[in-house]
Amino acid sequence: MRPRQIVTLGAGSDTLFFRLRTQHAALTDALTVFETDFPDVIARKRDIIAAHEPMRALAADPARYRTFGSDLRDLDAVAEGLTSCGFDPNVPTLFLSECVLIYLDTQHSDALIKWAAGAVGGAGGGGGVFVTYEQILPGDPFGAMMVRNIAARGCPLRSIADYPSLASLKTRYTRLGWTETAVRDMNDVYYNFLAKDEVKRIERLEIFDELEEWHLIQAHYCMTVAVVPGSGVTTEAMGFAPR
């Protein structure tokens, strides 16, 4: 099986690696997962892993799981950390960012997106996919309230005013070196991209009738999927192409 890589930017307490290794072990034999976040966050996560034997056993293989501390605003530190952990730019790579980039000043998040495209794209690069989940639409009443509430907790959405819409995010990734980009809000993702059986299973777990409010919330979150050549993947092949 051809090697693959996942780089989680701002990993926090994410358990993706452990879920993949326990639920899809055969598919992950050639996969290496790299995680980075602030050094104190990574240190705390390492302590949690060390305290739980099943997690400790899964994380023991350095060819499969690597973590390092960095500030995403410091691209040199991110690049050096990945290199020291064995990151290979010639291997197809999935970059993941879940409600992380939007908390950075635009200049820093733009630089990170552009760096990632250059790291795996171009001549000889393995190519890659960048998947981002974050908030949009700060200008309507709900969006304005969302922005205020999050800012009141001490973590303002620093770049949402620069990239407030699906269209602006698509332009962003294309401008920063990603060849193909598709962006969809979470209503679209839920109704058109999740397996129908899974949607039915979820909806049977609890009766939920406040759909208007739920749809409003989901309209203010989106997924961006951007591709750079070399990965053998397109947004269309992923079923996420623009309509």
Side-chain angles (χ1 to χ4, degrees):
M1 184 178 294
R2 186 181 180 189
R4 298 286 192 275
Q5 300 173 147
I6 295 177
V7 177
T8 304
L9 302 166
S13 300
D14 183 72
T15 59
L16 174 64
F17 167 76
F18 301 96
R19 287 181 283 120
L20 288 175
R21 287 299 287 170
T22 54
Q23 298 172 17
H24 307 284
L27 297 178
T28 60
D29 285 341
L31 174 69
T32 302
V33 175
F34 301 89
E35 294 183 346
T36 188
D37 208 314
F38 288 117
D40 60 327
V41 174
I42 292 297
R44 184 163 61 249
K45 188 169 190 176
R46 288 173 176 170
D47 288 343
I48 293 171
I49 293 170
H52 294 80
E53 195 282 329
M55 298 180 72
R56 186 169 66 247
L58 290 172
D61 184 353
R64 302 279 72 86
Y65 183 62
R66 311 280 182 85
T67 63
F68 66 96
S70 72
D71 185 330
L72 295 179
R73 296 168 294 185
D74 185 346
L75 290 182
D76 288 339
V78 174
E80 290 169 7
L82 281 170
T83 299
S84 68
C85 288
F87 176 79
D88 185 350
N90 299 309
V91 171
T93 303
L94 170 62
F95 293 94
L96 295 177
S97 167
E98 182 179 352
C99 290
V100 173
L101 298 186
I102 200 163
Y103 293 100
L104 302 178
D105 288 328
T106 298
Q107 67 188 64
H108 297 302
S109 53
D110 274 358
L112 185 60
I113 293 168
K114 184 176 181 178
W115 167 83
V120 297
V129 179
F130 202 123
V131 177
T132 308
Y133 171 72
E134 60 191 4
Q135 300 91 332
I136 52 170
L137 303 181
D140 64 22
F142 182 92
M145 178 182 66
M146 174 183 71
V147 170
R148 288 195 303 270
N149 288 345
I150 295 175
R153 298 171 187 168
C155 45
L157 304 176
R158 297 183 182 276
S159 64
I160 194 169
D162 292 318
Y163 301 107
S165 65
L166 302 181
S168 64
L169 284 169
K170 181 175 181 179
T171 300
R172 178 190 203 184
Y173 282 79
T174 302
R175 177 174 57 82
L176 295 173
W178 294 86
T179 305
E180 188 180 354
T181 305
V183 191
R184 297 182 181 276
D185 72 29
M186 296 311 294
N187 283 317
D188 195 350
V189 172
Y190 184 80
Y191 286 110
N192 296 309
F193 291 92
L194 298 184
K196 300 303 181 185
D197 289 344
E198 179 66 6
V199 170
K200 291 179 181 178
R201 185 189 71 81
I202 292 169
E203 293 179 347
R204 283 197 301 267
L205 293 178
E206 183 175 350
I207 297 175
F208 184 73
D209 57 7
E210 298 177 4
L211 289 177
E212 183 177 350
E213 181 179 356
W214 187 78
H215 287 150
L216 184 60
I217 295 170
Q218 300 311 303
H220 287 79
Y221 285 80
C222 72
M223 286 187 66
T224 301
V225 177
V227 176
V228 74
S231 61
V233 175
T234 65
T235 55
E236 184 174 5
M238 296 172 69
F240 211 75
R243 281 200 287 260

